[in-house]
Amino acid sequence: MRPPALRRCREARGNRRQGSSPGGSGAEADLHLRQKTLRLPKSGHLLPTCNGEITTMSFLQDVVDILLQYVVKSFDRSTKVIDFHYPNELLQEYNWELADQPQTLEEILLNCRTTLKYAIKTGHPRYFNQLSTGLDMVGLAADWLTSAANTNMFTYEIAPVFVLLEYVTLRKMREMVGWPGGCGDGIFSPDPPENLGLHHTRHLSVYQEPRTKSHFSVKKGAAALGIGTDSVILIRCDERGKMIPSDLERRIVEAKQKGFVPFLVSATAGTTVYGAFDPLIAIADICKKYKIWMHVDGAWGGGLLMSRKHKWKLNGIERANSVTWNPHKMMGVPLQCSALLVREEGLMQSCNQMHASYLFQQDKHYDLSYDTGDKALQCGRHVDVFKLWLMWRAKGTTGFEAQIDKCLELAEYLYNKIKNREGYEMVFDGKHTNVCFWYIPPSLRGMEDSEERTSRLMKPLGDKVNFFRMVISNPAATHQDIDFLIDEIERLGQDL
Amino acid sequence: MRPPALRRCREARGNRRQGSSPGGSGAEADLHLRQKTLRLPKSGHLLPTCNGEITTMSFLQDVVDILLQYVVKSFDRSTKVIDFHYPNELLQEYNWELADQPQTLEEILLNCRTTLKYAIKTGHPRYFNQLSTGLDMVGLAADWLTSAANTNMFTYEIAPVFVLLEYVTLRKMREMVGWPGGCGDGIFSPDPPENLGLHHTRHLSVYQEPRTKSHFSVKKGAAALGIGTDSVILIRCDERGKMIPSDLERRIVEAKQKGFVPFLVSATAGTTVYGAFDPLIAIADICKKYKIWMHVDGAWGGGLLMSRKHKWKLNGIERANSVTWNPHKMMGVPLQCSALLVREEGLMQSCNQMHASYLFQQDKHYDLSYDTGDKALQCGRHVDVFKLWLMWRAKGTTGFEAQIDKCLELAEYLYNKIKNREGYEMVFDGKHTNVCFWYIPPSLRGMEDSEERTSRLMKPLGDKVNFFRMVISNPAATHQDIDFLIDEIERLGQDL
């Protein structure tokens, strides 16, 4: 049953809408103005101010109306993905400054509208730019609930349900990774997962020279953790971007001969650019042989674990000591939702706890294993799990599977469409989660590989000139959107 | 103007509500059931599914109705702050498991209701337990908008407005700190701010033995960054928890004589338990004399910079090299909203950038200083700034000032009320942001300081037995709530 405050609010809103009908007389317009002022004064009239219920409900409902319009518009192909303006233009065109005096709530609503007008529509079916795209409706609902609950993940008593849902969800994810009974440890944390991975490793091993490759966060992590970027050794990859196990072994042996102690291999299951999956079984064999911690960065590709058709790409992940998996990427959970999974139970607590007894008191009357605060590197921790949990309930594992299969099927459709098409060159052959290609404008076709050709194809990335990297993680995308993309490239590239 | 999809949705909702009126005939009930099924099937019928607008709007509006009821109830003193159940009880009483098959949207709504039923009401006027309390309505609206925009802070082109607002807000915060023209650098990041502080320092100085004190995150940071907890030296504090500058200087000299290189002093402006403010001017003098980086952890007390009456407690902060300030604490911004401010412009970029050219391309057509991704330790970054920015617009600096002054006034009211009251002992004299006290049950009053007395007063914290620490950051709290608190302590403690 709706509480009286809500009913009153609905009535107030009904009255307002009558009052604001266009074409009214002067007196009516005046009444409307007074009602408006009464209805939406300044934020000082919102809850927790006494009798602030009606103003609050009315204000929040207005915000929600703006958001719902935005959401519906986001999925409308006739709107632009972004109404792009240069930073300086936007800074000059509006007053964004923070002042001493408050604005009215009407102005706050206007701020919301303006912000959304220039925001990028991340749910738009043609928003392809990032690994995180799309806007899931249940995920959005869950995030709204998380905001309303506004709590912190560090103890059970202040996050009673959320801590349990994190427990249930992490166990399920570890099951999908293939660890028996879902045993192990883990955490949802926006910290750079490689940092966390490296951090937990270090407590186990003497180290000098980790063996790793590829994603820049490994170097960043090594720098932050005091290991030093010079201690990060890049392993050679084949032409599709997959780590070459024989090179890994060679470098390990070489390092040991120099007296270094290799302690971590960070394999990647779905690289950012090529979408390459390292050969995890071969890497696991090497890690076992030399007693090295095996970390799998499945930030991008982890989602494939939900697909019976595609999860073979991660075969061997069950032998990893730790796994990064970001459901905010391929699974389309709202940002952020990053998990670090660790095979050894109790490890995170023993690495990170600082026994801050004033925060994590031991004389409580419930099972303290649910106080997760001392497991994390950070102190406060946002509730990131609820979005994933609620989406998983709403879709089921099979729903996530269908979503991911569809994205990969679209990537394949794109690959097949352009691989023999005039004007296109593939960066590598074969199907991946990522489709990487060049479009060669008509004027450059047939031209020899020369400096002029290279400079006209834009700046280089490593030894290659810039290319298109298409990833499809947006559940809103269809075959027609892929066709549209190709048409646009050709339309815009025609005269280059 | 409302788009057609929204109008249709409203109509659909209207019909449904008629259909669901109680006491209908069998045929009516049947109709209702069919409408319900039509209206809220499974999540596969939501956007981006074709024609999913009506189902989506209806579902999201239902979620919002649940949230609005929860929000209004949160501020109702006749409700409990928490309906506490033990973890195992909650796990057993409901099915929280993740299954292969999807649930219906009706079940998803039920999941939302159940989660909120057992959640703690962080907005409740009598929720005092944490440094982060309260629920700000504009902050909530801003967080909902952030969820709907669902983007990532790493480049301007995917967070066009939010990056600008972060720029504007950080500059304003640096102005409040007292750095001329608001110059410098900074970032909103949920990473442990001390980690970040330590991390940025390390690039500037040879180190061996930092001089620091107090908050456990400093030790955690030192451990994570490879400095080692043994390199963290705690400086003596006076009986109110303030760092003693002469002890700081003595330890620096001692360390230098041993050949160590002290490189960081982490002063605290508002300690977690006592709410002590270190003497920043004296510490700044010492840091200057020995050329040591001065970091101020104003996570808790930073908010006082908004108050003309109280900001003197942070005098000297303008001489710090870096400052942590968490607006999600004293300023009541929804979790998380943590800022690290750095006086030297360009420092963060030069410390952290790894030139991940595939993410942060340099051949763009706008001012690249707005691509902040490479400044941060982490890769993806949630939009945390919008909540603070919108609240600041809505309240003005004066509104934040009034809110903070009121909280401190309530702390003073509490202090005055109990300092000479029978049954209470203050942990220290004098007014602070935090009020720390013991309640001595009647049976223990007058008892000598003995082992029996100590054990009956619960477990020790350092050299002191557990005490009450009251912090008031909840804008919903009033004098009556403080009176209620005292009454409850006495009612419950009467028979101990």
Side-chain angles (χ1 to χ4, degrees), chain A residues 175-317:
Chain A
E175 264 176 35
M176 309 291 293
V177 163
W179 294 335
C183 281
D185 215 334
I187 204 159
F188 283 89
S189 165
D191 281 312
E194 278 72 25
N195 282 6
L196 278 165
L198 283 170
H199 170 60
H200 290 99
T201 314
R202 197 171 48 195
H203 288 258
L204 293 178
S205 321
V206 186
Y207 64 89
Q208 273 301 357
E209 216 182 11
R211 296 280 161 281
T212 177
K213 69 179 270 292
S214 201
H215 193 270
F216 80 101
S217 66
V218 176
K219 281 209 167 191
K220 214 165 211 176
L225 296 172
I227 296 170
T229 50
D230 290 347
S231 298
V232 178
I233 295 205
L234 302 181
I235 305 303
R236 284 181 55 207
C237 298
D238 65 16
E239 75 291 349
R240 294 203 196 162
K242 297 181 187 189
M243 190 190 283
I244 300 171
S246 61
D247 191 60
L248 171 65
E249 182 158 17
R250 189 176 64 80
R251 303 300 300 268
I252 290 173
V253 172
E254 222 174 72
K256 287 172 89 85
Q257 282 168 351
K258 288 184 195 159
F260 294 131
V261 181
F263 74 97
L264 173 84
V265 173
S266 177
T268 311
T271 60
T272 309
V273 180
Y274 286 7
F277 287 77
D278 286 338
L280 301 182
I281 295 174
I283 293 170
D285 288 341
I286 294 170
C287 286
K288 189 181 172 197
K289 184 169 170 188
Y290 296 97
K291 295 193 173 63
I292 297 178
W293 181 281
M294 178 177 169
H295 176 73
V296 175
D297 172 0
W300 168 227
L304 295 190
L305 292 168
M306 311 296 275
S307 161
R308 282 166 289 189
K309 187 173 170 192
H310 295 289
K311 69 178 174 188
W312 63 270
K313 288 176 187 151
L314 294 122
N315 279 352
I317 195 172

Side-chain angles (χ1 to χ4, degrees), chain A residues 91-198:
Chain A
L91 275 178
Q92 282 158 21
E93 200 163 330
Y94 293 90
N95 169 21
W96 309 100
E97 294 301 322
L98 299 165
D100 287 350
Q101 296 309 315
Q103 293 196 310
T104 64
L105 291 177
E106 294 291 348
E107 286 168 313
I108 292 300
L109 292 175
L110 195 60
N111 290 164
C112 290
R113 275 193 211 97
T114 309
T115 300
L116 291 174
K117 176 171 160 53
Y118 296 104
I120 196 157
K121 296 192 193 78
T122 56
H124 197 289
R126 290 168 184 166
Y127 176 60
F128 289 120
N129 187 27
Q130 302 290 323
L131 298 182
S132 304
T133 60
L135 181 61
D136 187 274
M137 294 302 111
V138 174
L140 178 63
D143 215 11
W144 286 358
L145 183 145
T146 300
S147 307
N150 189 35
T151 196
N152 195 322
M153 287 296 278
F154 53 58
T155 65
Y156 174 77
E157 64 189 336
I158 65 159
V161 186
F162 301 116
V163 160
L164 297 182
L165 300 184
E166 188 176 56
Y167 168 80
V168 167
T169 307
L170 285 169
R171 195 183 52 203
K172 186 76 181 173
M173 291 174 87
R174 290 188 303 257
E175 264 176 35
M176 309 291 293
V177 163
W179 294 335
C183 281
D185 215 334
I187 204 159
F188 283 89
S189 165
D191 281 312
E194 278 72 25
N195 282 6
L196 278 165
L198 283 170

Side-chain angles (χ1 to χ4, degrees), chain B residues 163-182:
Chain B
V163 161
L164 297 181
L165 300 184
E166 186 175 56
Y167 168 81
V168 167
T169 307
L170 286 168
R171 195 183 53 203
K172 185 76 181 175
M173 291 174 87
R174 291 189 303 257
E175 263 176 37
M176 310 291 293
V177 164
W179 293 335

Side-chain angles (χ1 to χ4, degrees), chain A residues 2 6 10 17 43 47-48 56-57 60-61 64-65 67-70 72 75 85-87 90-91 95-100 102-103 108 111-112 115 118 120 122 127 130 134-135 137 140 143-145 147-151 154 156-158 160-161 164-165 168 171-172 190-191 199 202 215-216 220 223-226 272-273 334-336 352 356-359 361 363 365-366 370 374 376-378 380 382 386 389 392-398 459 461 466 476, chain B residues 2 6 10 17 43 47-48 56-57 60-61 64-65 67-70 72 85-87 90-91 95-100 102-103 108 111-112 115 118 120 122 127 130 134-135 137 140 143-145 147-151 154 156-158 160-161 164-165 168 171-172 190-191 199 202 215-216 220 223-226 272-273 334-336 352 356-359 361 363 365-366 370 374 376-378 380 382 386 389 392-398 459 461 466 476:
Chain A
R2 209 163 285 274
L6 276 166
R10 297 266 163 195
R17 292 215 165 102
S43 67
L47 284 170
T56 298
M57 309 281 301
L60 286 177
Q61 187 61 52
V64 166
D65 286 348
L67 297 179
L68 292 182
Q69 283 188 43
Y70 170 78
V72 169
F75 291 98
H85 289 246
Y86 288 98
L90 275 190
L91 275 178
N95 169 21
W96 309 100
E97 294 301 322
L98 299 165
D100 287 350
Q103 293 196 310
I108 292 300
N111 290 164
C112 290
T115 300
Y118 296 104
I120 196 157
T122 56
Y127 176 60
Q130 302 290 323
L135 181 61
M137 294 302 111
L140 178 63
D143 215 11
W144 286 358
L145 183 145
S147 307
N150 189 35
T151 196
F154 53 58
Y156 174 77
E157 64 189 336
I158 65 159
V161 186
L164 297 182
L165 300 184
V168 167
R171 195 183 52 203
K172 186 76 181 173
D191 281 312
H199 170 60
R202 197 171 48 195
H215 193 270
F216 80 101
K220 214 165 211 176
L225 296 172
T272 309
V273 180
L335 280 157
Q336 279 190 296
N352 287 327
S357 59
Y358 62 91
L359 278 176
Q361 288 170 296
D363 51 349
H365 305 287
Y366 61 83
Y370 293 103
D374 222 9
L377 260 180
Q378 62 198 123
H382 186 260
F386 191 66
W389 181 81
W392 204 325
R393 297 279 279 195
K395 288 179 201 294
T397 311
T398 55
K459 299 237 171 47
L461 171 72
N466 262 353
Chain B
R2 209 165 284 275
L6 277 161
R10 297 265 162 198
R17 290 213 165 105
S43 67
L47 283 170
T56 298
M57 311 280 302
L60 286 177
Q61 186 62 52
V64 167
D65 286 348
L67 297 180
L68 293 180
Q69 284 188 44
Y70 171 78
V72 169
H85 289 247
Y86 289 98
L90 276 191
L91 274 178
N95 169 22
W96 309 99
E97 294 301 323
L98 299 166
D100 286 349
Q103 293 197 312
I108 292 300
N111 289 164
C112 290
T115 300
Y118 296 103
I120 195 157
T122 57
Y127 176 60
Q130 302 290 321
L135 181 61
M137 293 303 112
L140 178 62
D143 217 10
W144 285 358
L145 183 144
S147 307
N150 187 35
T151 196
F154 52 57
Y156 174 76
E157 62 190 339
I158 65 158
V161 186
L164 297 181
L165 300 184
V168 167
R171 195 183 53 203
K172 185 76 181 175
D191 280 311
H199 171 60
R202 196 170 51 191
H215 194 269
F216 81 102
K220 214 164 209 176
L225 297 172
T272 309
V273 180
L335 280 157
Q336 278 189 299
N352 287 326
S357 58
Y358 63 90
L359 277 176
Q361 289 171 297
D363 51 347
H365 304 288
Y366 60 83
Y370 292 103
D374 223 9
L377 260 180
Q378 61 198 126
H382 187 260
F386 192 65
W389 181 80
W392 206 323
R393 296 277 279 196
K395 287 180 200 292
T397 312
T398 55
K459 299 239 169 49
L461 172 72
N466 262 353

Side-chain angles (χ1 to χ4, degrees), chain A residues 19-21 23-36:
Chain A
S20 68
S21 62
S25 69
E28 271 171 3
D30 197 58
L31 174 71
H32 164 49
L33 256 181
R34 270 188 289 124
Q35 280 185 336
K36 204 164 167 177

Side-chain angles (χ1 to χ4, degrees), chain B residues 257-294:
Chain B
Q257 282 167 352
K258 288 184 194 159
F260 293 131
V261 181
F263 74 96
L264 172 85
V265 173
S266 178
T268 311
T271 60
T272 309
V273 180
Y274 286 7
F277 287 77
D278 286 338
L280 300 182
I281 294 173
I283 292 170
D285 288 342
I286 294 170
C287 286
K288 188 181 171 194
K289 185 169 168 188
Y290 296 96
K291 296 194 174 60
I292 297 177
W293 181 280
M294 176 178 172

